[in-house]
Amino acid sequence: MSHSVPDEAFALAIATLPEVGPARRLVLHRAGDLRTVWSRICDGSIGCDPQVRRALGLGIGEPMLTEEYSPIIQSWQDHAASLDPAAELDRHLTAGVGVAALGSARYPGAFVEDPEPPTVVCWLGDIDDLVGPRVAIIGTRRCTQAGRDTAFELGYALSAAGVSVVSGLALGIDAAAHRGALAAGGAPPIAVVGSGLDVIYPPANRALWSQVAEAGVVLTELPLGEPPRAWHFPNRNRMIAALADVVVVVESRRRGGSLSTVAAAIRRDRDVMAVPGPVRSPAAEGSNALLRDFGVCCDATDVLLRLGMSPAARRPSAEQRPLPEGNAALILDALGWQPSTLEDLVARVHLPLEVVTLALIQLEEAGWVSEHGGWFERRAKTEFAG
Amino acid sequence: MLATVASACLIGVDGYPVTVEVHMSQGLPGFTIVGRPDASCREARDRVRAALHSSGMPLAAKKITVNLAPAGLRKTGASFDVAMALGLLIAYEMLPQSVVDDVTFIGELGLDGSIRKVPGMLPMVDAAKTDVVVVPPSAVSEALLVGKPKVRCAPDLRSLVEALTGEASWPDLPEPVEPGPSADPPDLREVRGHEVARRALEVAAAGGHHLLMVGPPGAGKTMLARRLPGLLPPLDLRTALATTRVHSAAGAELPPGGLIRVPPLRAPHHGASAVAMVGGGTGAMQPGEISLAHGGVLFLDELGEFSVDVLESLRQPLEDGSVRVVRADHRVTFPARFLLVAAMNPCPCGEADQPGACRCSPAALLRYSRRISGPLLDRFDLRVKVTRPTARELIEGPSGECSEVVAERVRRARERAWRRGVDANAQLSSKALEDCAPLKPAARALLEAALVKNQLSARGLQRVRAVALTLADLADDDPPLDSRHVAVALAMRIDLGAYYRRIA
């Protein structure tokens, strides 16, 4: 090993070790000079370090002998034997991925003071985009059209006001928030993902993934090739909370993953806001519960005020869609903001089926209504519709 | 001494004439049946011997050989019992051969000498080549449907022999039962709410369009399906005869009067095997559920739970209106023209498929969506959502039209279809649709918009057109098709893929 190998190489190598999560990674990272730590992993003597032993749940009272067998340390040793840290770093750099280890100059400042900082950060795009105010917009993957529209609007307005939108590039609310930010073309969007940067998950967001990387930054603490394991996502959520000044929950289920981001935000004293949803909507159960303890977010102005920014004097944009008339207006009124089926609508408006279906087709064409699998939902303004 | 008596056997839904030959000779006493009999057929020797004994005509122990001709045909069932018993009496010279000439005997013997009905009386009587057919009294109404041979009946062996020898006259045929009003069929009036699903049922009945209902458990999908046969016109004579043959061959109970005029409803459980569904089986080929539903409705509840083989085996019969079952021994064609009505949950959690409420993981949704193949889904011209009516709708909701009114509209719509040369609009080819279902400009624009949005395939377009034509027929509108009919036809074809894409 030459002396020119930077810390990033060892941090990446440590990140690839089996059975190592953020906590163990941090313990290893702090066990000394990274080069020395790596060589101690290679020869197994890392098993003598008291902090490492505690992290692994090994006794520290007994004599700390290298020879004492620990399957984890053995597996680290086996793994390290076949890994060249310099080549590992090279693999990332040739793939166009930026890498910064905790303690190095390029390491994002937002994580430095964090209680659980990632030991290494990999990114696509420009890491210097992590300056300026940041707001996380998060929510369920299985959202309603109304939630999707709200996330889009918030993302759009915040980005336009110079606030970076942080989210997780998941389906549903996350994707809608990013789309909104991209459509505004304002402050760069920031995405934190739960897989290696070459493993695009979910595949449906492939295009969005590269758009965010282009306009802003996609980052992760996982090395290239790491699949999207279930346990990566709570860890990813803590990074979102760490990056954000304010966390806005648009729609969350009663036990949704967004609530783990909220918990992480509370631990870090970040502001949390929730968008009120319909009382009976299961998709908004979790976010509505947050309203009891946290701030209410009805539009971007609420968030901007919380950030201490003066809301831009944004004129409410004029409605661009042709206003519905006659039966169509009646049906749009009856639709409200809850998903409804054709059957519900016919029962509500007491009009013949022919009239209702024709009016719905017109409303859909005009952008007032969207339809998915027999469910009709009212659209918010379509000036944003992506 | 040799005797020959005419009888018949059943394979699939077709009868075949069989000659029962009985030969008695000196030698070691024994009773052999040849001519490819199956187990139930071979056991006839014990039934026949006991029945003759009970009827006061015991037989001395002799060497007896019974041949069932033609020898190549595999014979199953007990339909030859009566013919065998008479053949024995002739062979023992207790009865002259002349009394059985030109008479076919079909029936099973009880040990007490009584004559019983066997499955498939109708097709077997139809196959009889003689002028007279003798059947048990319970099968007379069925046998009379054939109309050709003279039907006689006898309740037991003793009275049959007495009638044949002229000692007594033939027993009277049982009084024909008038096909009175059957038990109150479920009426559409009892359905509250479900405005769209009711209309879909009406369109399915009028146009012969297969219908898929998607909705959570307890939404009323089964309740709706049970009301469909009441909307269909009664079976025409040809279909009624074909349906009755199938039910007769399956040994199902026939309505009073014998002929099935009310379209049948078959609702097999989703555990059904492919053989139970399309027919077949070892020994006699049994018609399956799809043939029992001939002329009527096949209702598959929980479509997603049926095994993939079973569902795929439906595709060919749906196309051809009949199913050809081929086994090593037999090749049988069963009629199978039915209206397919299926119900399924939109997703495994079923409870709450509405956007933002479904609890299924994307992987579970994908697995579920794979259960029903695209080609099968394509067969459903009508795909509607059925939601649980709210409590208010259930209690205060207006009850809709009764089945009678709807059935009258359906009848008139079918008359329009007959004038186009088909039974129902679903059978119209693309070319025929061009001719008889022109579109108004606004209607054309709607379809083009749906095509552009990728809601419809080229094939789907034609199906929507056929449904719109049925809607126009029901409204007594003449083509060209109006945009309102096209709009409803489009609304009755929800995109199922959206369930599995909505998470994206």
Side-chain angles (χ1 to χ4, degrees):
Chain A
M1 251 173 259
S2 90
H3 280 271
S4 63
V5 178
D7 274 358
E8 276 74 18
F10 299 109
L12 272 177
I14 291 171
T16 64
L17 290 177
E19 299 194 55
V20 169
R24 286 178 182 176
R25 230 178 263 173
L26 195 59
V27 170
L28 287 173
H29 199 87
R30 288 179 173 160
D33 169 38
L34 282 180
R35 181 189 310 278
T36 323
V37 171
W38 182 252
S39 62
R40 290 183 69 193
I41 290 172
C42 289
D43 64 19
S45 65
I46 195 76
C48 298
D49 186 285
Q51 297 300 328
V52 173
R53 292 183 68 83
R54 184 176 296 134
L56 295 180
L58 299 173
I60 42 174
E62 315 129 40
M64 295 175 235
L65 296 172
T66 346
E67 295 81 58
E68 192 197 349
Y69 181 73
S70 157
I72 292 185
I73 288 173
Q74 184 64 50
S75 71
W76 288 357
Q77 211 177 332
D78 295 345
H79 182 85
S82 61
L83 191 84
D84 174 11
E88 184 65 16
L89 178 62
D90 215 40
R91 186 163 74 94
H92 283 71
L93 296 180
T94 46
V97 173
V99 184
L102 174 59
S104 73
R106 298 208 72 192
Y107 187 79
F111 294 127
V112 173
E113 295 293 310
D114 200 73
E116 311 156 280
T119 56
V120 62
V121 174
C122 303
W123 69 85
L124 281 170
D126 189 358
I127 197 66
D128 296 327
D129 285 338
L130 294 185
V131 291
R134 292 178 296 268
V135 168
I137 300 176
I138 55 169
T140 178
R141 290 176 288 170
R142 291 161 285 159
C143 59
T144 63
Q145 185 64 45
R148 206 174 280 130
D149 286 348
T150 307
F152 188 97
E153 275 180 311
L154 278 175
Y156 187 97
L158 289 173
S159 177
V163 178
S164 283
V165 171
V166 185
S167 198
L169 263 185
L171 298 169
I173 299 294
D174 283 19
H178 279 311
R179 287 210 172 90
L182 285 168
I190 299 161
V192 188
V193 297
S195 59
L197 290 171
D198 56 343
V199 185
I200 292 175
Y201 180 84
N205 280 352
R206 179 174 292 273
L208 189 61
W209 184 293
S210 49
Q211 283 162 14
V212 172
E214 187 126 324
V217 58
V218 180
L219 52 93
T220 181
E221 58 178 330
L222 300 165
L224 284 182
E226 183 67 24
R229 308 254 187 235
W231 60 86
H232 290 333
F233 291 91
N235 296 331
R236 184 254 337 234
N237 289 349
R238 87 174 196 293
M239 287 172 70
I240 292 179
L243 281 175
D245 300 311
V246 176
V247 173
V248 180
V249 185
V250 176
E251 264 182 348
S252 170
R253 275 146 206 288
R254 199 152 52 84
R255 278 197 282 272
S258 324
L259 299 186
S260 93
T261 316
V262 169
I266 294 166
R267 280 201 298 279
R268 289 167 175 76
D269 263 342
R270 299 293 198 270
D271 267 329
V272 175
M273 303 179 88
V275 175
V279 174
R280 284 184 189 80
S281 164
E285 242 179 298
S287 40
N288 281 346
L290 291 174
L291 290 172
R292 296 195 190 97
D293 300 322
F294 301 103
V296 178
C297 166
C298 289
D299 57 16
T301 311
D302 292 338
V303 185
L304 291 173
L305 288 174
R306 187 64 68 102
L307 282 169
M309 295 168 71
S310 52
R314 262 179 81 239
R315 265 179 300 121
S317 58
E319 182 58 65
Q320 308 243 314
R321 297 172 281 189
L323 284 176
E325 286 167 2
N327 286 332
L330 202 68
I331 288 160
L332 191 62
D333 246 15
L335 179 57
W337 289 98
Q338 283 274 49
S340 306
T341 61
L342 185 57
E343 216 143 65
D344 300 338
L345 285 171
V346 171
R348 270 181 233 156
V349 296
H350 298 295
L351 287 171
L353 188 59
E354 282 82 359
V355 177
V356 178
T357 47
L358 259 182
L360 280 171
I361 289 176
Q362 283 160 10
L363 284 169
E364 208 182 332
E365 255 162 36
W368 287 101
V369 165
S370 74
E371 189 258 351
H372 285 282
W375 289 96
F376 292 89
E377 288 180 86
R378 185 167 176 170
R379 297 292 314 253
K381 286 180 194 149
T382 44
E383 53 175 325
F384 304 139
Chain B
M1 225 2 239
L2 176 76
T4 56
V5 186
S7 187
C9 77
L10 177 77
I11 293 167
V13 290
D14 296 316
Y16 290 86
V18 170
T19 309
V20 178
E21 299 169 339
V22 182
H23 182 256
M24 190 208 56
S25 62
Q26 301 300 330
L28 273 180
F31 196 136
T32 324
I33 300 178
V34 297
R36 302 191 72 197
D38 78 342
S40 64
C41 207
R42 207 173 291 122
E43 285 158 359
R45 64 178 165 208
D46 296 317
R47 283 195 300 270
V48 169
R49 208 188 274 281
L52 284 168
H53 197 275
S54 311
S55 310
M57 298 173 276
L59 299 179
K62 298 279 180 187
K63 180 173 168 52
I64 297 161
T65 309
V66 174
N67 180 35
L68 307 174
L73 202 65
R74 250 183 83 177
K75 285 132 202 120
T76 61
S79 57
F80 320 108
D81 285 10
V82 175
M84 259 188 238
L86 294 174
L88 281 168
L89 291 175
I90 296 164
Y92 276 79
E93 295 180 333
M94 294 159 79
L95 207 63
Q97 167 77 42
S98 59
V99 297
V100 299
D101 283 345
D102 216 25
V103 185
T104 298
F105 300 88
I106 304 166
E108 174 185 332
L109 281 177
L111 298 188
D112 59 353
S114 60
I115 301 178
R116 293 173 186 157
K117 191 174 151 175
V118 291
M121 293 304 292
L122 171 58
M124 284 195 281
V125 171
D126 195 17
K129 292 240 178 345
T130 55
D131 290 339
V132 181
V133 176
V134 178
V135 298
S138 56
V140 168
S141 61
E142 214 176 312
L144 283 172
L145 293 177
V146 177
K148 208 167 42 192
K150 182 162 179 56
V151 176
R152 292 199 189 279
C153 73
D156 54 60
L157 199 51
R158 175 95 247 163
S159 50
L160 174 61
V161 171
E162 281 169 0
L164 282 172
T165 53
E167 283 171 50
S169 58
W170 280 99
D172 290 332
L173 295 185
E175 283 292 309
V177 190
E178 275 308 306
S182 50
D184 242 356
D187 197 287
L188 209 51
R189 191 176 35 210
E190 297 141 19
V191 179
R192 286 179 196 272
H194 288 311
E195 202 51 48
V196 179
R198 297 169 65 103
R199 280 295 285 281
L201 279 185
E202 185 177 335
V203 176
H209 304 288
H210 302 305
L211 166 66
L212 175 63
M213 293 185 278
V214 183
K221 301 178 297 247
T222 312
M223 177 194 68
L224 285 160
R226 298 223 168 263
R227 279 151 182 81
L228 183 51
L231 305 183
L232 291 168
L235 302 182
D236 62 70
L237 192 63
R238 215 185 43 183
T239 316
L241 268 174
T243 308
T244 310
R245 278 172 82 99
V246 174
H247 282 251
S248 168
E253 202 178 327
L254 295 176
L259 196 61
I260 299 178
R261 290 313 282 263
V262 180
L265 172 79
R266 301 296 296 190
H269 181 256
H270 54 70
S273 67
V275 167
M277 201 63 116
V278 300
T282 54
M285 302 284 262
Q286 285 269 339
E289 290 290 328
I290 58 168
S291 301
L292 289 164
H294 180 68
V297 177
L298 180 70
F299 176 49
L300 303 182
D301 204 353
E302 304 293 352
L303 189 69
E305 302 299 322
F306 279 85
S307 82
V308 176
D309 302 359
V310 171
L311 292 182
E312 293 304 295
S313 66
L314 293 180
R315 277 165 53 188
Q316 178 261 330
L318 276 171
E319 207 63 18
D320 301 348
S322 65
V323 58
R324 188 158 172 75
V325 183
V326 180
R327 298 287 186 271
D329 263 355
H330 303 296
R331 282 155 189 78
V332 177
T333 303
F334 295 116
R337 189 175 297 287
F338 54 90
L339 187 53
L340 179 59
V341 178
M344 65 184 283
N345 291 328
C347 59
C349 85
E351 285 300 323
D353 67 296
Q354 86 182 52
C358 171
R359 293 186 298 272
C360 304
S361 69
L365 281 173
L366 193 67
R367 260 200 311 281
Y368 196 72
S369 71
R370 289 208 184 112
R371 302 209 60 138
I372 293 149
S373 71
L376 181 66
L377 208 53
D378 222 35
R379 299 290 189 281
F380 293 102
D381 291 354
L382 297 167
R383 305 164 199 168
V384 294
K385 260 200 98 49
V386 182
T387 40
R388 284 198 200 110
T390 58
R392 221 185 94 215
E393 262 180 295
L394 279 179
I395 297 162
E396 297 170 13
S399 56
E401 291 170 301
C402 62
S403 289
E404 210 178 319
V405 175
V406 179
E408 174 58 22
R409 272 205 301 273
V410 168
R411 196 186 57 75
R412 289 219 306 277
R414 287 246 172 170
E415 270 171 14
R416 279 170 171 260
W418 289 330
R419 267 178 259 144
R420 296 183 190 110
V422 288
D423 270 349
N425 288 343
Q427 295 158 16
L428 287 171
S429 64
S430 303
K431 198 176 157 297
L433 277 170
E434 291 291 339
D435 294 339
C436 55
L439 297 158
K440 282 188 185 162
R444 183 173 297 277
L446 275 184
L447 285 177
E448 273 163 11
L451 271 179
V452 169
K453 272 192 293 179
N454 240 346
Q455 262 177 16
L456 278 183
S457 61
R459 193 188 131 86
L461 181 81
Q462 294 302 334
R463 303 320 298 162
V464 167
R465 211 162 159 182
V467 171
L469 182 62
T470 305
L471 281 158
D473 286 352
L474 283 166
D476 253 334
D477 284 352
D478 286 313
L481 297 176
D482 196 85
S483 56
R484 61 204 171 104
H485 297 312
V486 172
V488 174
L490 280 170
M492 285 186 177
R493 194 185 173 85
I494 54 164
D495 180 11
L496 274 171
Y499 282 113
Y500 313 115
R501 280 201 305 272
R502 70 158 176 271
I503 37 163

